[in-house]
Every structure is written in C-alpha cells, then in structure tokens.
Amino acid sequence: MTTIHEVAEAAGVSISTVSYALSGKRPISDKTRTRIEKAARDLGYEPDAGARMLAGRRTHIFALTEPLRADTHAPTHMAFVLATAVAARRRGYDILLLTDEQASDGMNRVAASNLVDAILVLDVAPDDERAAIARAVRTPTVFIGIPDDPDGLTCVDLDFEAAGHLAVDRLADAGHTRVTLLGQTEVSYRKSNFPRRLLHGVQTRALDHGIALRSETTGASSTDTAAVRSAAESALARGDRAFIVHAANDVHETLLTVLDEHGLRVGTDVSVVSAAASFDTSTLTVPLDTIPLVPQQSCDLAVDLAVRHLEGHRVPAQIHLIPPEYHIADSVSPRR
Amino acid sequence: MTTIHEVAEAAGVSISTVSYALSGKRPISDKTRTRIEKAARDLGYEPDAGARMLAGRRTHIFALTEPLRADTHAPTHMAFVLATAVAARRRGYDILLLTDEQASDGMNRVAASNLVDAILVLDVAPDDERAAIARAVRTPTVFIGIPDDPDGLTCVDLDFEAAGHLAVDRLADAGHTRVTLLGQTEVSYRKSNFPRRLLHGVQTRALDHGIALRSETTGASSTDTAAVRSAAESALARGDRAFIVHAANDVHETLLTVLDEHGLRVGTDVSVVSAAASFDTSTLTVPLDTIPLVPQQSCDLAVDLAVRHLEGHRVPAQIHLIPPEYHIADSVSPRR
DNA sequence: TTGTAAGCGTTATCAG
DNA sequence: CTGATAACGCTTACAA
C-alpha cells in the first residue's frame, strides 16, 4: 500500500507538501507540484480513506436513504439512484446505501459515526419519519421530494403543481372543456406526496378555466390493464377528448391502444399530455406532449445544495422547486 | 460528538476497556461491561468511522458495483441490491454504490484507498471487464453471477443449468414430447450469461428425453406483447402443449392470456413451468409451477463468503452454485 | 480482569 | 513557497 510518505520521499519533499500539492489547498511551485504528481501517479498513490476521514473530518461519502417499498416503481427509482450517484461522483463523493429498516436507524448511525458528510433522502412519504431525524442530526440532509411538514428541511423537487397548471393550460388553449386525468395507483396518493400535488395543480387550474375535470386512479397493480381500459372507455363515453396522464409507461400504452381502437387520432381527434413521466415518452407508439420529470435535475440540485452546505455557504432550509418544462410533440389537437 | 474517552470517563474505566467491552474481543467482567454499555447508550456513543478504519484496518463497508445498463430489468435488479444490502447490514457492513462508469474505475479507487473491505459484483456480463480488475486488486471480491472466464474468481449464482434440467424433467414425467421455451429478450442472450446457461440446461435434457424443443426469444422490448403472442400462437399451432417460461412478469401474463383465449386450461390441457423468475409467481392469473430465482439466496451466500474471507477463513476461488428448488402449483398436466 | 501506550496515514497549524 | 509536528479517535499489542 502506497502512503503519502513514499510519495514524499520519491519526490524529495515533505509529506505536508505532498498533501497540499494534491489537495491544492495552498500554492505550490509548478515544478515541485508536477514532480509530486508524477511520483503519485507512478506509485499509484491514493490517500487512505480512513486516515483522510479522521484527519480531515470529511468522508467524501453521502448517504442515500431509500425505503424500497413494494409499491415503488422500480425503473423510476433506479433512475433517481443512478442520477444521484453520478451527480455525487462528479463532485467527488461516493454513495452509501441505506435501505428500509436502516432508513431511520441508519440515518442516526451514519450521522453519529461521522460515516458520511451529508444525507440525501429519496422516495419521501407524506408522513416521513426521516423528517424528524433530519431535524435532529447535525449531518446536513437534503430531501428529494417533499413531506407534509417540510419545516426546517431542505427539500428539492419538480414543481408538480406547476406541471399540473401547464398541462391544463395547454388543453384549455386548445379549446378543451372536458378533461380526464389518468393518475397514479390508488396507493401512491396515500404513500407519496407528488401525485397529490400534481392533482391539486390540475384541479385548481381546471377550476380557473371552467373545465370539467374527472380524475381516475389506475388500479392497485401497475399491470392492471383492465382498470386503465375501463377508465379510458368511460372517459370517452362521457365525451372527454382530452387526457392528462400521470402514470407509468404501460398506462400510456394502454390509453393509446384504447384510443386507436376507437379510431381516434391523437393530436387531431383527441389530445393527450403526459405529465411528470420519468421515462422516455418519445418511444411510445405515438409521441406525446410531455412535461417530463427529469431525475437528473432534482438529483443534481440536491447534491449541489449538499456540497454548498459543506463548503460553508448558507443553504436555506426551504423547498427548492424545479420549474417544469413543456415539450411539444403535437399530441394536443389545435383549437377547434 | 461523543468519543470513547467520554464513555470511559463516565464508566470509570480506561478507553481500551471500553473498546474491548464493545467489540467483545476480550473478556470483560460482567459488571464493568454493563456499566460501560449503559454509559455508551446514555451518551449515544457510536465509534468514529474514520478512526475505526484507520486503527482497525477494517472499514465495515462493502462496495457493490452495478453497471446499470438500459436493458437491465429494474425490479429484478432492485431485488438484488436490496437483498445484498440487507445481508450485508446483518453482518455489520454498509453498502457503497459503484455505478456504470465507476464500475471499473471505482473498483480500483475503492481498493487503492482502502475504502471498502470487499467488493460485490452485480449484473455480471459474459466478457465482464470487472473480472480482470478483481484479479488485480487485493480487495476480496465476490461475483453474483458468472462471467465467461471465471478463472481465479469467487462466483455465486443459481444453478441455471440444473434449473433447466428440473423443468424439462418435470414436463417429461408428465409425458410431454414437445416443449417450447419462452426465453429472455434477444439482447439478454448476448449481454448476460444466465439465460444461456438455462437454455443449455433445457437443451441437453430435452435431448436426453428425446423431446422436441423449440426456443423463442421474447422481443427486443419487454413491453413487446406482440412478439410474445406470436411465439405462443405458433407454438400452439405446431402442437406444443408444454411451456417453460424464463422471462419477466408480463410475458407470463401474455402467455396465460393466449392460452385462455384458446380455451386451454393450464394444468389440464397444457403445462407451464416458470423458470428462474425473481418475482412472485403466485400472484399471476394462474399460479404456476416455479423454479424461483431467489436473490436473497445468492446475496446471502455472497456476503457470507466475503465475511468469511475477511475473518481469515479460506474461501475457494471457484463457482458456488445454488441448487434450484421446484415449487409445485399444479400447472403441469398429469401424465396422460 | 484491566490499564498503558504505540501506532494507523492524513490534514492542518505552526514556524521558517 | 516549504517543513516539522501536533492532532484526529480508535484498536491492539504489551504490561500489570
């Protein structure tokens, strides 16, 4: 194992010079620095993690708590984990995983043992118990998602309410007066927060526009095609020709299938907007207007806030909402 | 921050006594031990991670490398990650995530910096570049999955070949002479190893039994229902009444739908065996005979091997295959 | 059964 | 611009 001493000796300098040269925390003459860097590279030197933690009081590790519940949508979840890992790594941090049981105990443990520099919270529930823990520990914590009581917490999330507004506005512009919202699964509206926020945004804006809104939750299981079909069928039966879809890939496909069966062409006879989808809607049978949920945006911001906090900048304990973007794919019928 | 010194003072003993009492690495009289434990609990003491690493030369962290490719089946993957995390935690280890790009560089980095005690490798590809790295670093490494050249590596996996045998044997016993294997996606057979192993097991055993085997890959996308339908339809058309399914949830459902449409009752008119499914097949429309792939088994064993290695026991660098189990649900027609 | 003390490999604070 | 050197908090021989 190569130590800083060996690098120092090889470069003919003291260990402190090596440390400073490599961390850049104080000016080192160009020629000695390059000499040190060469020695370090040649010897394959990598600072010992434990020693660095102890002396530097910085671990370069972030904890990521994720209570993998049975009802979490795996692909979306994976996208968030990946985005977080990439963002963290880019700033020089590794990700330590804290799952379910450990989510709460784990937070306390890693905080008490100084195992991590900051904690990132994923898959936030309305009554999330991790909120209380975040307030108690002194390890900086950033929520990706928003609990019911975000008081004193630093939170990051897409502005789902604004996303709802955008979707309704667009449909209203196109002259629609009747809209169906094809939402998330039943359980999501209880166990999560964001579906409600989108729903609320849609509702208030529908009211503003005098739009008749009907919102349907998709069945218990995500593979429950029948529930989606019947929701779509009855929407069409009552004359709705505008849909906002806030659901997984397959729900979109099922809706498009039903519309096709009825001989309705998307963008002409009927309008469809996909709201807060975390998958690529351009691969759907019919490309849809989309207000995407980009995990990378939330995760980048969350990591950035954590890093800024660690660098001593003031990070307000408040909700940081990411403004939604509307991507056009001509799936909304022009004003009639 | 509570240190070991404060605990020692509170308990009226020396710090080494505290250390030994808490680690159990040498006998401490009952009354002083309980006194120490109480003090530690009262003060909320948790050993400093960095100090522990440095002094003990053990980090209590395992790295988990997972090259989250676009074609990885998210739910299955999540099950493996969760199972690994739980198994590791139970042995006192945390999981550090190493994703894609970092998979290779990350392995070298965490090994060189002594950030982890061992490395667990997930989602193993046939020509996995992590095999070479595992051989090079001195950090013990366990593969969950098997690369083409497992020489010198410690690997753990379900015995997919034996699973193939079991499935065919059962169908042969029931008197079937024509079998269709509904396999994984096209790409899986190139990017992964296990589908081929199951296929091979099925093929050799079919040959032994004189069974006419037809194997079909399911379409490129996992949502490609059409491909599954047509595969099932043509199997029925050529008279096959026995199916082995090695695929995701929805492929099973599609097959069952097609069989139902043809008025064929599973377990009577037609036989279906699910092989190496990592989801709960009991929630399918029709429960199926299943040879399950239990992530927990592989992950428990992998963690166990890593821990044993760290404890100084000899761990053979070889393939550790987990024998498959056959779960009956009466979806195979009795001998005719 | 318990205490003493020597590291572990960095970082950061002094000097120079 | 560079060098000594004192922490950092714990583990673990070595003593008692």
Side-chain angles (χ1 to χ4, degrees):
Chain A
M1 211 196 58
T2 322
T3 75
I4 198 172
H5 285 95
E6 313 183 46
V7 178
E9 187 166 25
V13 295
S14 76
I15 62 163
S16 64
T17 304
V18 174
S19 179
Y20 284 120
L22 263 30
S23 73
K25 290 195 179 174
R26 87 180 181 191
I28 301 286
S29 80
D30 266 8
K31 58 177 197 293
T32 56
R33 216 221 356 278
T34 50
R35 196 149 35 93
I36 290 171
E37 280 165 354
K38 182 179 182 329
R41 218 172 320 110
D42 289 351
L43 295 167
Y45 170 71
E46 194 77 30
D48 180 86
R52 200 153 73 130
M53 289 184 199
L54 182 55
R57 304 101 161 300
R58 201 119 281 178
T59 69
H60 300 272
I61 299 176
F62 286 160
L64 184 69
T65 84
E66 41 162 0
L68 296 174
R69 294 190 302 266
D71 63 297
T72 46
H73 185 59
T76 301
H77 186 84
M78 253 180 60
F80 273 91
V81 172
L82 181 59
T84 307
V86 170
R89 199 66 214 104
R90 209 160 36 212
R91 308 305 285 286
Y93 290 85
D94 275 302
I95 293 294
L96 191 93
L97 222 51
L98 258 31
T99 53
D100 47 33
E101 311 101 308
Q102 318 163 30
S104 303
D105 287 348
M107 275 176 76
N108 284 318
R109 188 170 50 82
V110 297
S113 63
N114 299 310
L115 219 196
V116 305
D117 293 333
I119 300 174
L120 304 174
V121 180
L122 229 52
D123 224 331
V124 180
D127 59 343
D128 209 302
E129 59 179 347
R130 293 170 295 176
I133 301 177
R135 293 191 191 93
V137 300
R138 63 171 172 20
T139 306
T141 303
V142 179
F143 283 67
I144 299 174
I146 307 176
D148 276 348
D149 177 12
D151 207 53
L153 303 178
T154 303
C155 302
V156 164
D157 210 354
L158 174 68
D159 191 340
F160 284 90
E161 190 135 357
H165 295 169
L166 276 185
V168 175
D169 287 351
R170 188 77 185 80
L171 294 173
D173 277 358
H176 289 285
T177 54
R178 311 180 51 79
V179 172
T180 286
L181 169 66
L182 226 50
Q184 301 263 307
T185 58
E186 194 80 19
V187 61
S188 298
Y189 286 88
R190 280 179 288 118
K191 294 286 187 66
S192 296
N193 196 316
F194 62 93
R196 307 205 287 231
R197 289 192 280 136
L198 186 111
L199 175 60
H200 187 251
V202 167
Q203 283 173 331
T204 52
R205 209 53 149 233
L207 213 60
D208 293 350
H209 287 290
I211 282 178
L213 175 74
R214 183 78 163 252
S215 64
E216 312 266 7
T217 60
T218 40
S221 153
S222 66
T223 48
D224 194 349
T225 305
V228 180
R229 293 194 75 94
S230 81
E233 295 284 2
S234 46
L236 292 175
R238 67 175 169 262
D240 289 10
R241 289 297 178 272
F243 293 85
I244 298 172
V245 187
H246 180 206
N249 197 323
D250 47 355
V251 172
H252 286 74
E253 289 292 6
T254 303
L255 171 62
L256 293 176
T257 303
V258 172
L259 295 177
D260 186 56
E261 288 169 3
H262 282 256
L264 296 169
R265 279 175 312 164
V266 172
T268 311
D269 310 317
V270 63
S271 299
V272 180
V273 176
S274 175
S278 64
F279 63 93
D280 183 4
T281 55
S282 70
T283 64
L284 289 169
T285 327
V286 180
L288 297 181
D289 277 28
T290 301
I291 303 161
L293 166 58
V294 187
Q296 200 200 326
Q297 287 183 334
S298 307
C299 298
D300 276 358
L301 179 53
V303 166
D304 200 60
L305 290 172
V307 171
R308 257 190 271 170
H309 189 113
L310 292 172
E311 286 173 348
H313 302 97
R314 257 201 70 263
V315 171
Q318 60 172 44
I319 297 175
H320 300 252
L321 290 179
I322 296 170
E325 289 172 16
Y326 194 100
H327 293 188
I328 296 176
D330 299 319
S331 68
V332 171
S333 63
R335 180 176 272 287
R336 291 169 297 195
Chain B
M1 212 197 57
T2 320
T3 75
I4 198 172
H5 285 95
E6 313 182 48
V7 177
E9 187 167 26
V13 295
S14 75
I15 62 164
S16 68
T17 305
V18 174
S19 178
Y20 285 122
L22 264 30
S23 73
K25 289 194 180 176
R26 88 178 181 190
I28 300 288
S29 79
D30 267 8
K31 58 177 197 291
T32 58
R33 214 217 3 273
T34 51
R35 196 147 37 90
I36 289 171
E37 280 164 356
K38 182 180 184 328
R41 218 172 320 109
D42 289 352
L43 294 167
Y45 170 71
E46 193 78 30
D48 180 86
R52 200 155 71 131
M53 289 185 200
L54 183 55
R57 286 123 96 249
R58 199 120 279 178
T59 69
H60 300 270
I61 299 177
F62 286 160
L64 184 69
T65 83
E66 41 162 1
L68 296 173
R69 294 191 303 266
D71 63 297
T72 46
H73 185 60
T76 301
H77 186 84
M78 254 180 57
F80 273 91
V81 172
L82 181 59
T84 307
V86 170
R89 199 66 214 104
R90 206 159 38 209
R91 306 301 225 87
Y93 291 85
D94 274 303
I95 292 293
L96 191 92
L97 222 51
L98 258 31
T99 53
D100 46 34
E101 311 101 310
Q102 319 162 31
S104 303
D105 287 347
M107 275 176 75
N108 284 316
R109 189 170 50 79
V110 298
S113 63
N114 299 311
L115 218 196
V116 305
D117 293 333
I119 301 175
L120 304 175
V121 180
L122 229 52
D123 224 333
V124 181
D127 60 343
D128 209 300
E129 60 178 346
R130 293 170 295 176
I133 301 177
R135 293 191 191 93
V137 300
R138 63 170 173 22
T139 307
T141 303
V142 180
F143 284 67
I144 300 174
I146 307 177
D148 276 349
D149 177 12
D151 207 53
L153 304 178
T154 304
C155 302
V156 164
D157 210 353
L158 175 67
D159 192 339
F160 283 91
E161 190 136 356
H165 294 169
L166 275 186
V168 175
D169 286 351
R170 188 77 184 82
L171 294 173
D173 276 357
H176 289 283
T177 55
R178 312 180 51 80
V179 171
T180 286
L181 169 65
L182 227 49
Q184 301 263 306
T185 58
E186 194 80 21
V187 62
S188 298
Y189 285 88
R190 280 179 289 117
K191 294 285 187 66
S192 296
N193 197 315
F194 63 94
R196 307 204 288 231
R197 289 191 280 136
L198 185 110
L199 174 60
H200 187 251
V202 168
Q203 284 173 331
T204 53
R205 210 53 150 231
L207 213 60
D208 292 350
H209 287 290
I211 283 178
L213 175 73
R214 182 78 163 252
S215 64
E216 312 264 8
T217 60
T218 40
S221 152
S222 66
T223 48
D224 194 349
T225 305
V228 179
R229 292 193 75 93
S230 81
E233 295 283 4
S234 47
L236 292 176
R238 67 174 169 263
D240 288 10
R241 289 296 178 275
F243 293 85
I244 298 172
V245 187
H246 180 206
N249 197 323
D250 47 357
V251 172
H252 286 74
E253 288 291 5
T254 303
L255 171 62
L256 292 177
T257 304
V258 171
L259 295 178
D260 187 55
E261 287 168 5
H262 282 256
L264 296 168
R265 279 175 311 165
V266 172
T268 310
D269 309 317
V270 64
S271 299
V272 180
V273 176
S274 174
S278 65
F279 63 92
D280 183 3
T281 54
S282 70
T283 65
L284 289 169
T285 328
V286 180
L288 297 181
D289 276 29
T290 301
I291 303 160
L293 165 58
V294 186
Q296 199 200 326
Q297 287 183 335
S298 308
C299 299
D300 276 358
L301 178 53
V303 167
D304 200 59
L305 289 172
V307 171
R308 256 190 274 169
H309 189 114
L310 293 172
E311 286 173 348
H313 302 97
R314 256 201 72 261
V315 172
Q318 61 172 46
I319 297 175
H320 301 251
L321 290 179
I322 296 170
E325 289 173 15
Y326 193 100
H327 293 188
I328 296 176
D330 300 319
S331 67
V332 171
S333 63
R335 181 177 272 285
R336 291 170 295 196

